[in-house]
Amino acid sequence: MRYAFAITSALLLGGATATLALQPGDAQTMPGIAQNEPGTIQAAAPRPGAPLSFADMVAKLQPAVVNISTKQTIVQQTQANPFSGTPFEGLFGQGQGQGGGAPTRREGASLGSGFIISADGYVVTNNHVVAPGARGATVDAITVTLPDRKEYTARLIGRDPDSDLALLKIDARGLPFVRFGDSKQARVGDWVVAIGNPFGLGGTVTAGIVSALHRSTGLGAYDQFIQTDAAINQGNSGGPMFNLQGDVIGINSQILGSGAGGNIGIGFAIPAEQAKPIIDTLMKGQRVSRGYIGVTLGGVINDDYSAALGIPKNQGEIIARVEPTGPAARAGLRAADVVTRVNGTPVTPDQSLSRLVAAVPPGGTARLDVIRANRPLTVNVTVAARPTQEQLAALTGQGAEEFGADSDATTVAPTPATGNGIGVVVQPLTPQIARSVGVDSTVSGLVIASVDPASDAGQKLKRGDVITAVNFAPVVTAADLSARVNAARAQGRDRVILSVQRQRANAPVPVKLAKS
């Protein structure tokens, strides 16, 4: 999945040009009758008001779609000259007599699209179009260019990184503008039209169909995109997606691209039903507020979790960690709890726990239906306001080393533990070892000394990782580990969930058991 970062470009969605429609009643399954029975499906005539050409509609809409560009300054720290103070100083372009290491400054830019939503100059776009595009970058100016080539310097009214939306303002009057429509009415197979500025070429129109609804790309906690099949090109993030009534039903944001960055016909737009309330909040000068309960999620129940825990897949989301002082901890929620509903709404791949909790106003109550040790219960949580991205990073350990197999890890003197069934050699975590592997001294568990590369664990874990629990039951000795694995075998499980600490990051890791 490629996210359209603004320092390089931004992207547009659109689509193909044909669709089929069922006759009335054919959408339901009829016993004994094939879904494509001859005579039951035919090409549908356009709905009343649907154009045979998009030309008239585009002529009305295109004046409200704009180009957005930024000028940025990027400051980077250069490495110190390793030859400083020697006769070779200055031979490698790092400055004579200064030892190197001085910051360098260069100019950057971004290019994207947007659309005007009011006659007095409010403009909607993606946050990543107007955000700094690299570490050490600052945005010096934002320019909005209208289709008639008039340029305006824009002010950033507000941004919401979590939804990737931003609101700009230009000083102008009597501008052409467009309105948000109701994206909840969109159906798979509906026509859509997108207008934007690929590669800075100016107004470019593509048309296609809605390929899917409620699509998650896994790049954000609140992803629930409209997917479309149109060509997507660099320079068009933030542009509008229209239905045939000319309503904005989406804001183009992401693409699934080829390795070379080209279009493969899979793109994503933020639905208007999500975008409009956020834009309305930003227009009032307010910060977007979301519900928060203080948990780290292990993901929707998939095959691995289902096999390890005996819970049907795609029904609920597992709690990997509970913040000790957060709302969930105060309400009694625990790691390994599987939340299946929030205020009566099922937790599914289309409706994640994060999204459902975020929709609860801070101060409100989230009634969670939970499965704990195969028993159902209800936990009522008083929802707090979601912290900032920086605060969350400090709480959850974001920025620590990511999980994944890696042979270059901290060396730990092994104390072999045999017969644990998952292909790892472990030893109890001591304060000294905790310091050497970079975990907090309050963490207890087993540190991995070596991993069998032929095991499933060998593809996911490495030396220096700390196993704190198996199927969310704490382990502090090698015997604990073996006992938890044997208990899983006795229940007919072929996987266990390891709670793994790597530096400041913590994650549940499903691991297959070795054949006994």
Side-chain angles (χ1 to χ4, degrees):
M1 179 62 58
R2 290 186 55 235
Y3 189 86
F5 286 106
I7 195 64
T8 56
S9 62
L11 306 162
L12 165 72
L13 308 182
T17 57
T19 185
L20 294 176
L22 297 173
Q23 294 299 310
D26 289 342
Q28 281 75 37
T29 299
M30 297 182 181
I33 299 178
Q35 294 296 98
N36 59 346
E37 191 75 19
T40 63
I41 299 178
Q42 65 182 30
R47 293 181 180 180
L52 296 178
S53 167
F54 299 119
D56 290 340
M57 183 176 76
V58 169
K60 293 272 292 182
L61 301 175
Q62 199 163 27
V65 182
V66 300
N67 173 284
I68 297 174
S69 60
T70 71
K71 292 183 178 179
Q72 304 187 15
T73 299
I74 304 171
V75 179
Q76 293 181 323
Q77 188 73 30
T78 59
Q79 294 183 350
N81 189 343
F83 300 101
S84 178
T86 74
F88 301 102
E89 182 178 12
L91 294 181
F92 298 94
Q94 291 182 299
Q96 285 186 309
Q98 297 179 3
T104 62
R105 299 170 66 90
R106 60 185 178 87
E107 292 184 354
S110 68
L111 180 66
S113 301
F115 55 98
I116 305 169
I117 60 170
S118 69
D120 60 347
Y122 282 97
V123 178
V124 174
T125 188
N126 283 144
N127 176 64
H128 72 264
V129 171
V130 295
R135 181 176 298 179
T138 57
V139 176
D140 302 320
I142 303 172
T143 300
V144 171
T145 304
L146 273 57
D148 61 6
R149 295 185 174 83
K150 289 182 180 178
E151 294 186 357
Y152 297 88
T153 298
R155 291 180 287 116
L156 179 63
I157 299 300
R159 67 168 86 234
D160 181 47
D162 288 331
S163 64
D164 192 26
L165 292 170
L167 180 67
L168 309 177
K169 180 70 169 64
I170 60 177
D171 293 328
R173 294 289 184 271
L175 295 172
F177 65 95
V178 291
R179 302 182 188 277
F180 284 107
D182 185 2
S183 59
K184 295 191 294 295
Q185 301 302 315
R187 301 187 306 162
V188 173
D190 278 351
W191 288 87
V192 288
V193 174
I195 306 175
N197 297 280
F199 301 103
L201 292 175
T204 297
V205 181
T206 56
I209 62 169
V210 173
S211 302
L213 300 168
H214 312 299
R215 185 70 84 200
S216 173
T217 64
L219 295 181
Y222 312 112
D223 290 0
Q224 199 175 48
F225 294 109
I226 298 172
Q227 180 183 328
T228 188
D229 67 346
I232 301 170
N233 296 291
Q234 296 180 353
N236 294 88
S237 278
M241 173 188 286
F242 297 101
N243 61 17
L244 290 192
Q245 288 70 49
D247 298 323
V248 178
I249 62 167
I251 300 171
N252 308 318
S253 180
Q254 295 184 18
I255 65 169
L256 186 67
S258 68
N263 163 67
I264 60 172
I266 302 177
F268 306 94
I270 303 167
E273 63 185 288
Q274 298 176 28
K276 188 178 186 305
I278 293 171
I279 294 301
D280 289 344
T281 299
L282 297 178
M283 191 175 290
K284 295 174 185 175
Q286 299 173 355
R287 178 177 175 268
V288 177
S289 181
R290 295 181 173 88
Y292 170 81
I293 60 174
V295 296
T296 300
L297 301 177
V300 174
I301 299 300
N302 57 17
D303 289 330
D304 283 333
Y305 287 131
S306 179
L309 302 176
I311 298 173
K313 68 177 183 178
N314 296 328
Q315 298 181 27
E317 195 159 1
I318 194 166
I319 303 298
R321 179 175 180 271
V322 178
E323 296 297 334
T325 60
R330 291 192 293 269
L333 206 65
R334 303 176 186 174
D337 284 347
V338 176
V339 181
T340 59
R341 290 176 179 266
V342 178
N343 290 336
T345 302
V347 177
T348 68
D350 291 339
Q351 287 281 8
S352 68
L353 179 59
S354 293
R355 284 188 51 79
L356 294 174
V357 169
V360 180
T365 298
R367 188 183 72 257
L368 308 182
D369 291 349
V370 174
I371 298 175
R372 177 180 295 168
N374 292 320
R375 295 181 180 179
L377 69 152
T378 300
V379 178
N380 292 313
V381 184
T382 301
V383 174
R386 181 178 171 85
T388 64
Q389 295 278 26
E390 293 76 13
Q391 292 168 332
L392 283 175
L395 285 171
T396 61
Q398 292 177 4
E401 188 174 0
E402 294 183 357
F403 282 81
D406 184 355
S407 60
D408 297 324
T410 305
T411 300
V412 181
T415 301
T418 59
N420 56 46
I422 58 173
V424 298
V425 174
V426 296
Q427 69 180 92
L429 184 67
T430 65
Q432 182 179 3
I433 295 175
R435 287 193 297 271
S436 70
V437 298
V439 303
D440 192 88
S441 60
T442 60
V443 175
S444 62
L446 299 168
V447 66
I448 295 177
S450 64
V451 186
D452 180 358
S455 68
D456 187 47
Q459 310 304 311
K460 301 172 180 177
L461 304 175
K462 65 180 185 178
R463 298 192 315 272
D465 286 346
V466 177
I467 301 173
T468 61
V470 177
N471 284 348
F472 303 97
V475 293
V476 294
T477 67
D480 291 340
L481 175 60
S482 297
R484 303 284 185 259
V485 171
N486 290 335
R489 287 191 192 279
Q491 294 175 337
R493 310 275 188 258
D494 65 355
R495 292 171 176 81
V496 292
I497 308 297
L498 304 181
S499 299
V500 179
Q501 184 85 24
R502 180 175 295 171
Q503 297 181 7
R504 292 188 301 121
N506 184 289
V509 180
V511 173
K512 293 181 181 179
L513 304 183
K515 294 182 179 179
S516 56

